[in-house]
Amino acid sequence: MWLLKYSKRLALVQLLLLQFFLLNPAATKKDKPEISSHQLDNAPANFFYFDDSNTILLHDRDAGLVHRSEDAGKTWDKVDVEAGKAWDLWRHPYDNQKAYIMGKASTHWHTNDQGKTWQDFEIPRARPSLVRAPLSFHAKDSDKVLIHGEVCRIGGILDCTQTTFYTSNGFKEIGLLRRDTRGCVFAHATPEFDTGDGEKADDRIVCVTTGRTSDDRREHRLAVSDNYFEDEHEPALEGDRTVQGLLSVAVVKGYLVAAVRAPNTDELAMYVTDDASVWHRAVFPTDSRLKEDAYTILESTSYSIQVDVLAVDPPTPMGVLFTSNSNGTYFTRNIQHTNRNVHGIVDFEKVQGIQGIVLVNVVDNYEEVERSFGQEEKRLKTQISFDDGREFQDLTVDEKSLHLHSVTEMKNIGRVFSSPAPGVVMGVGNTGKYLKGYDEGDLYVSDDAGLTWTLALEEAHKYEFGDQGSILLAIYDEGPTDVVQYSLNHGKKWHKVDLPEGKIRAKALTTTPDATSMKFFLWGTKRGGSKTEHWVFSIDFEDMHEDKCKDKDFEKWAARVDKDGKPSCVMGRKQFFDRRKADADCFIREKKFEEIEPNFDTCKCTEEDFECDYNFVRSKDRKECVRDGPLPDPKGACKNGAKKYKASSGYRKIPGNGCKGGVDLEGEKERDCGDTLKPIVSGEINAERTAFPAQSFSNYFYLERAGSSSDSSKAGEDETVVMRTDKSEVYISRDHGKTWDQILKGEDIKDIYPHPHFSDVCFFVTTGKKVHYTVNRGDTYGHFDAKLEPTRDSNRPALAFHADYKDWLIWTGAQDCDEDNKNCHNDALYSTDRGGTWEYLARYVRKCEFIKEEGRGDKQKLVYCERFKDEKPDGPLQLQSSDNWFAKAETHFNNIVDFATMSEFIIVATRDDSDSLKVDASVDGQTFADALFPSNFNVPIQKAYTVLDSHTHAVFMHVTVGDRQDAEYGSIIKSNSNGTSYVLSLNQVNRNKDGYVDFEKMLGLEGVALVNVVSNIHEAEKGSGKKLKTMITHNDGGEWSLLKAPQKDPEGKSYDCSTGDCSLHLHGYTERRDPRATFSSPSAVGLMMAVGNVGGYLTEKSEKTSDTFITRDGGIEWQAVKKGNYMWEYGDQGSIIVIVRDTVSTDEIFYSLDEGQTWTPYKFSKKKVHVAILSTVPSDNSLNFLLWGQEEDSDSEIVTFNLDFSQIKERQEKCKLDPKNPDSDYYLWEPKHPLSDSNCLFGHIAQYLRKLPDRNCKNDQSIQHYFDKGENCECTRADFECDYNFEPAKDGSCKLVSGLEPPDHSKICKEDPEKMSYFKPTGYRRVPLSTCEGGNELEKYQSKEVPCRGHEKDFEEAHRGLGGFWIFILAVVLPIGIASGVGYWVWQNWDGKFGKIRLGEQGSAFDADRPWIKYPVLAVSGIVAVVAAVPLLVGSLWRWASGLFGGGRRYTTRGSFARGRGDYAVVDEDELLGEDEDEEV
């Protein structure tokens, strides 16, 4: 009975308690947060919250899995994707429902519901990009995504094509956007960006793409499309000019930014647009330049871009912080000596949600650090600005300076100091003079956005913000801990909570991105090594007892205050927040996932609310805006003698600025009409003479300023030249020789070494260990001491340079010299800090070189050295390589002659066992393959080879055949695209005793080259002088022919060609004093000048026998312009040509403004001068020229004359660049093969921009001459050359060399495992440059297609065709019917071209109307039509027909291939195509 009563009473108590808790929820609240834990199998590679939710995705890359939690990490599930396939995880930055899992291969997944469900999508044959983020997003339409991928050959890493795909409907469909991309973005990549074109530009995409003809990054360009690249255009970045050398493109807030590398320098130019249509070049102060990998675009605002520019190079990098005006074009300096790390990360962060507050770390001992070359440790101080960087001040704690660890030492994920919690800022650091180590720091907090600080917790902690700043959470970060700490009053008081799993080492602490949640996520590890455990924790404050905040718990807080504590203005407004008071005992619970919106009060306008208007810039003292050049001429305002007009004051209010009243700087200002006028020009050429006390010039070099990040308009004004005289005195001119200054006085300068890859850098080597240098074209000079004196080998350079890192050097020095300073050996040392420190690289070397080049992977340290075996200078030379400074070396060859690097190829000459020359080639710098020479080549070792050129994806090599003194000659052979298989291009090519060859490529025009051949080999080898003839190729060595002679000499008289053996012959490379004096210029496309004569062969170079010639069409037609020998130079990219007498003294030059059609004399000196050199900048885009010589009556002085054409009236206006506009000053020129009726060259029609010769304007800055590559053409004979083991026959076809086997074409199946089939050899191979399609594909025509091993079924399926009956009808009956009609048409239109050869202007060899010709032609024409149609379908019928009608050769003569110009001189085919080694040209 008692037990029953007790049970009833207990039940009643429980019921009453239940009712109490239900009616009083606060009674169930807890006094500390709830913490739950979960163990992971592996370390997370990535995790994130979806915005405005408690859902987390976590990526386990080791297991290829993704985990999902809906309750901020309390419970977890695996998402439904294929196990082991998840390679990467991405969150959509603007849609909180979407995320993406990228697989390793072509299958990927996306979610539209925060990971509840996933759908797969496929990108065929592509894997995610390994070099850039795989996804780019559209900020306004989350269904639009760009996917960056790589389409690679199976197993290939380097052999990949960067390709971008797209979806516009959330991955329901995926399309190819564009191949050969180097990064693409939507213009609407951020919510702030606005094109201003509405829906028209909604799909605008901007891509960096490869060049039109090359993947060389110097040719990378920008491409824009509004329809997913169905159409594209290249925007004009520099005025009306397009720009090459694009490195990257990015959208920053409301700006689209493109970075461009100027050629031959590490300097960058930055281009900015705020509408993706009109671009401007960003201008930095003249003493600050952007450098590659040396600028960082920082977190910017909607009204300016902030950039940190590297000022001091690694290993102790420092920068300068700049802020732009509102359209991103002009930058001003904010603060110097900012701290950076070697990865370009800058100690810079804005306080989130508040305009104008920035924290930076600066280097206090910057002078000592800069001088120490990395030996002095940086001493950092933290600075804060409350006015967008105009002024900075110290952080303070009780009047002591506070310094905080920042972005370069990230210890957590997300932002370092702040969150959307208004004004609450935390950081780890210390008080004192400068920042100490992280482990010596404490946790500090500020609740007034950094104005004042207090100590929060001793020792370093990770920290996070929650509930809009009402919760601060921290965990110890110097070692393991078993507690977390939290504060509910802005860090004044802290509480500890135990972690459920004991001590962990904290790895990351985070919460929702908006900092409104009351839940936190912690990842940490236990134990270590192979037993490491990974744990994640959910820390939940939602069930704590604090009440919900009421109105009385909030305060109106001013985000920014001045020194007096009063609210301050930024962008014309004061910013306020309604935020929870620090001591309020409540949470903001009801506003979960809603960020606090600021309130604004309008300010009165001050000078800080205005910026310089267009055509105005800040004065040097930054106090006013002054005009930058002439102002726009207001219509009618300055007519009829008016002297004044109203125009801009020079100021404008910053767009987006909200100030009202107060100062008004925008009002119009009265200005002089003279401000609209351009500076008066003299209209004359100016000549400036300078004399030097010396006998001769030893050498000179231009340090050309190719571009500038400070001011592009001044890029041509700094034309620096350095020169050394025979007295070892060095002079420099910054204005192209108008004025000169002697430098490095008293130093015995032995050599000048301009950096081949960075034109700002130059080294001056003395006879001792001291080396001087400049890195800014002579602005300043430094020096270092090498450990060894420079090498005594005059044929080997003392310095070698890296292509990417200008401070990486290899020094080759003399060691163990005898008393006479001879009999030395060479040792090599290296430096990565421009000579600051040197380390030994290799001993007993002949030379060492860096091998870094485009396409050779990431082997930045790859070095090749020629080393004497066993360190014996009289022993054989080994070729060794190393990618770790020879800590470990690999020997590639044990007995080499030499090696050379040319473009993408490395060519090595070795001695084989039979003492014959052997060549190996490599394209990756790691593996070599034997170079297979033409079969009948067996070159004795006492003979040589010369590597000529490799810029057309093939190596041209001259192999010496005859080396008798004064009778040297050889053969030019040409490689395939990997440099390993060679075919004969031309025999009997001239060379001199030093190995130099009369071979020259035409610069700027692909595939054109000139050579001189020895036409009397037998006589020359017996002692007679060489008789040279000049030949030209227009298809990269596939065919050669003599130069057509002009009909008239310079005086208008006809050349005597009565002998019939009459062509143009030119003095070539072997007779050139200065190898830089080339026939052509890459900036003057189509133009060549040369000295030579018309006749049977090249005569001696003299005033009586030689003339000067020019061609304007790439060498097809030539014109004689002057009697005698002249030197020449191209200026303004060919719009000015200057010539001067070469072998006689003169006082005048001639110049042409119309590509050599007319010439004007100009007297430059009062005395006659023997001119040794005529020069200009290497790019040939200057309006200045320099004459180097000696006056007739002087033997103690040498002189230079600067010739300045910048003042002539014909070159004052800038040319208008729009070739499709009739008013354009340019036209599109299409080069062609002279033997072709079409303009197809290398399988396509190339278009080049050329200035119209009669237009009086200047090209100004360099233009991109290569305009477009049109559609591919059908293949012709000109697109092919003879395959390996084949040689040209007399009739022009390629025949197999007797006794040899055809090459094995099945190798392509191994190189490309996805290849389904290959064609057996036909004797022809495609010229590497050719892109032709269809037509006469000689490598396939009359060949059997064979399936690759493993693809037999695919091949059979793809080639399954019609039945036998239809084959007979289509292959036999129909062609014969067609042939009858075609044969009649051929007869009706016959003009004697079947098998015909034309020589110059000669008439026809026979008359087609003669009866013994007329009727056989009708029959033959019919047969030709049949045999031309049948083999397209049935090879067996072709073999039957060819046998019946006399052999399997398809062409009777070379003229049958593509004869189209009867006025072009060619050599008789028996001469050109016969047995070259036995016959003479």
Side-chain angles (χ1 to χ4, degrees), residues 157-159 215-217 851-859 903-904 923-925:
I157 296 177
L158 299 178
D159 190 10
D215 189 23
D216 189 327
R217 66 177 183 175
I851 306 296
K852 178 70 176 75
E853 183 61 49
E854 293 287 334
R856 292 190 189 139
D858 295 325
K859 298 287 186 179
S903 189
E904 66 259 53
V923 293
D924 62 5

Side-chain angles (χ1 to χ4, degrees), residues 61-211:
R61 177 171 289 168
D62 293 333
L65 298 171
V66 173
H67 302 268
R68 179 176 184 270
S69 173
E70 288 188 347
D71 48 16
K74 288 183 180 180
T75 59
W76 294 89
D77 296 301
K78 295 177 183 177
V79 304
D80 186 20
V81 300
E82 188 175 353
K85 299 295 186 180
W87 173 248
D88 209 353
L89 176 65
W90 288 82
R91 176 176 63 92
H92 198 294
Y94 307 112
D95 189 328
N96 68 352
Q97 299 296 310
K98 295 184 177 180
Y100 310 89
I101 296 174
M102 308 302 294
K104 288 184 179 181
S106 58
T107 302
H108 317 283
W109 297 265
H110 69 99
T111 179
N112 296 320
D113 52 14
Q114 296 189 344
K116 290 181 181 178
T117 60
W118 294 83
Q119 296 79 41
D120 63 355
F121 62 93
E122 192 88 10
I123 305 176
R125 296 188 61 195
R127 68 185 184 198
S129 174
L130 299 178
V131 296
R132 59 185 49 85
L135 302 173
S136 293
F137 303 99
H138 195 291
K140 298 180 180 180
D141 187 344
S142 61
D143 282 340
K144 297 175 180 177
V145 182
L146 304 180
I147 309 102
H148 301 296
E150 298 175 343
V151 179
C152 306
R153 291 187 177 185
I154 293 178
I157 296 177
L158 299 178
D159 190 10
C160 297
T161 300
Q162 298 292 317
T163 306
T164 300
F165 303 85
Y166 75 95
T167 178
S168 59
N169 53 15
F171 292 95
K172 294 176 182 176
E173 297 172 299
I174 297 174
L176 172 66
L177 183 76
R178 198 186 191 285
R179 293 184 176 88
D180 295 320
T181 57
R182 295 299 179 267
C184 297
V185 294
F186 284 105
H188 289 296
T190 64
E192 295 87 353
F193 194 89
D194 184 9
T195 62
D197 290 340
E199 293 184 1
K200 175 183 176 183
D202 189 59
D203 293 330
R204 183 164 296 167
I205 298 171
V206 182
C207 292
V208 176
T209 71
T210 57

Side-chain angles (χ1 to χ4, degrees), residues 811-1039:
W811 176 263
T812 304
Q815 185 75 293
D816 299 334
C817 301
D818 59 21
E819 293 181 356
D820 296 327
N821 217 14
K822 297 180 180 178
N823 300 319
C824 315
H825 71 265
N826 292 329
D827 288 350
L829 301 94
Y830 75 92
S831 173
T832 58
D833 55 8
R834 201 189 312 140
T837 56
W838 291 97
E839 300 291 340
Y840 260 87
L841 183 70
R843 302 177 190 273
Y844 285 87
V845 304
R846 188 167 71 173
K847 70 174 181 180
C848 294
E849 291 183 10
F850 289 106
I851 306 296
K852 178 70 176 75
E853 183 61 49
E854 293 287 334
R856 292 190 189 139
D858 295 325
K859 298 287 186 179
Q860 298 284 358
K861 297 179 183 177
L862 183 59
V863 175
Y864 273 32
C865 285
E866 296 177 351
R867 301 182 72 177
F868 289 99
K869 188 175 182 179
D870 299 326
E871 298 189 354
K872 296 179 180 178
D874 57 350
L877 272 174
Q878 295 179 318
L879 181 63
Q880 295 184 342
S881 72
S882 173
D883 59 8
N884 59 4
W885 307 121
F886 278 80
K888 182 179 180 181
E890 179 181 358
T891 300
H892 296 280
F893 301 97
N894 283 310
N895 193 359
I896 73 167
V897 178
D898 206 347
F899 80 92
T901 56
M902 294 286 288
S903 189
E904 66 259 53
F905 300 99
I906 302 170
I907 308 297
V908 182
T910 65
R911 293 182 174 94
D912 62 16
D913 295 336
S914 62
D915 206 32
S916 181
L917 197 67
K918 178 177 174 291
V919 173
D920 289 77
S922 174
V923 293
D924 62 5
Q926 298 290 310
T927 57
F928 285 85
D930 291 344
L932 303 176
F933 277 18
S935 55
N936 50 358
F937 267 67
N938 184 23
V939 184
I941 193 62
Q942 66 268 22
K943 300 181 182 180
Y945 74 90
T946 303
V947 180
L948 300 173
D949 183 86
S950 63
H951 287 87
T952 53
H953 309 299
V955 177
F956 279 86
M957 190 180 297
H958 181 276
V959 182
T960 298
V961 175
D963 63 347
R964 185 184 183 280
Q965 186 172 356
D966 297 326
E968 299 91 351
Y969 72 94
S971 297
I972 290 180
I973 57 177
K974 180 188 175 186
S975 80
N976 59 355
S977 59
N978 63 11
T980 58
S981 173
Y982 289 78
V983 295
L984 178 66
S985 179
L986 186 65
N987 273 328
Q988 302 169 200
V989 178
N990 182 51
R991 56 150 282 194
N992 63 14
K993 61 183 179 62
D994 297 319
Y996 293 111
V997 180
D998 275 342
F999 172 94
E1000 185 166 327
K1001 282 290 190 80
M1002 184 174 185
L1003 303 176
L1005 192 62
E1006 55 188 12
V1008 179
L1010 294 98
V1011 298
N1012 283 339
V1013 296
V1014 182
S1015 64
N1016 62 331
I1017 287 176
H1018 297 317
E1019 291 84 353
E1021 288 182 331
K1022 294 176 182 178
S1024 298
K1026 295 179 185 177
K1027 291 185 177 181
L1028 304 181
K1029 293 185 176 184
T1030 301
M1031 303 188 75
I1032 190 170
T1033 178
H1034 292 272
N1035 65 345
D1036 213 35
E1039 299 168 293

Side-chain angles (χ1 to χ4, degrees), residues 1258-1421:
K1258 60 181 176 181
N1259 286 306
D1260 199 25
Q1261 296 168 29
S1262 181
I1263 62 173
Q1264 181 180 337
H1265 287 279
Y1266 193 93
F1267 184 76
D1268 195 14
K1269 180 180 81 69
E1271 295 294 326
N1272 289 335
C1273 306
E1274 290 188 347
C1275 298
T1276 68
R1277 173 62 176 88
D1279 295 300
F1280 296 88
E1281 58 195 5
C1282 290
D1283 202 352
Y1284 183 71
N1285 283 350
F1286 288 80
E1287 61 184 2
K1290 292 183 178 180
D1291 63 358
S1293 62
C1294 294
K1295 69 176 183 179
L1296 185 66
V1297 176
S1298 179
L1300 298 181
E1301 295 292 329
D1304 182 8
H1305 283 190
S1306 66
K1307 291 181 179 179
I1308 66 172
C1309 298
K1310 298 178 182 178
E1311 296 172 359
D1312 184 1
E1314 294 189 3
K1315 197 80 174 175
M1316 186 172 65
S1317 63
Y1318 65 94
F1319 287 86
K1320 287 194 171 182
T1322 65
Y1324 301 89
R1325 70 180 186 186
R1326 194 176 296 244
V1327 174
L1329 280 178
S1330 179
T1331 61
C1332 71
E1333 297 176 340
N1336 202 0
E1337 295 184 283
L1338 296 180
E1339 83 273 53
K1340 301 178 182 178
Y1341 202 33
Q1342 196 186 343
S1343 173
K1344 182 180 179 182
E1345 187 177 5
V1346 181
C1348 291
R1349 181 175 295 180
H1351 288 277
E1352 290 84 358
K1353 291 184 178 180
D1354 296 336
F1355 179 81
E1356 182 180 352
E1357 184 70 24
H1359 291 73
R1360 186 171 295 161
L1362 300 171
F1365 172 76
W1366 287 108
I1367 290 178
F1368 178 79
I1369 295 296
L1370 293 175
V1372 180
V1373 178
L1374 185 60
I1376 292 176
I1378 294 174
S1380 301
V1382 172
Y1384 179 74
W1385 182 90
V1386 171
W1387 173 64
Q1388 290 281 53
N1389 294 277
W1390 176 260
D1391 65 354
K1393 292 182 180 177
F1394 188 71
K1396 177 188 171 187
I1397 303 173
R1398 285 185 183 272
L1399 294 176
E1401 299 293 337
Q1402 300 170 12
S1404 176
F1406 52 84
D1407 188 350
D1409 289 326
R1410 295 175 186 176
W1412 56 88
I1413 295 294
K1414 183 174 183 178
Y1415 296 105
V1417 164
L1418 177 59
V1420 173
S1421 299

Side-chain angles (χ1 to χ4, degrees), residues 396-421:
T396 58
V397 177
D398 297 329
E399 298 183 354
K400 297 179 182 178
S401 294
L402 173 66
H403 313 288
L404 301 176
H405 293 272
S406 185
V407 184
T408 58
E409 297 181 89
M410 289 285 288
K411 301 297 183 179
N412 201 6
I413 60 176
R415 302 179 71 86
V416 176
F417 300 120
S418 63
S419 76

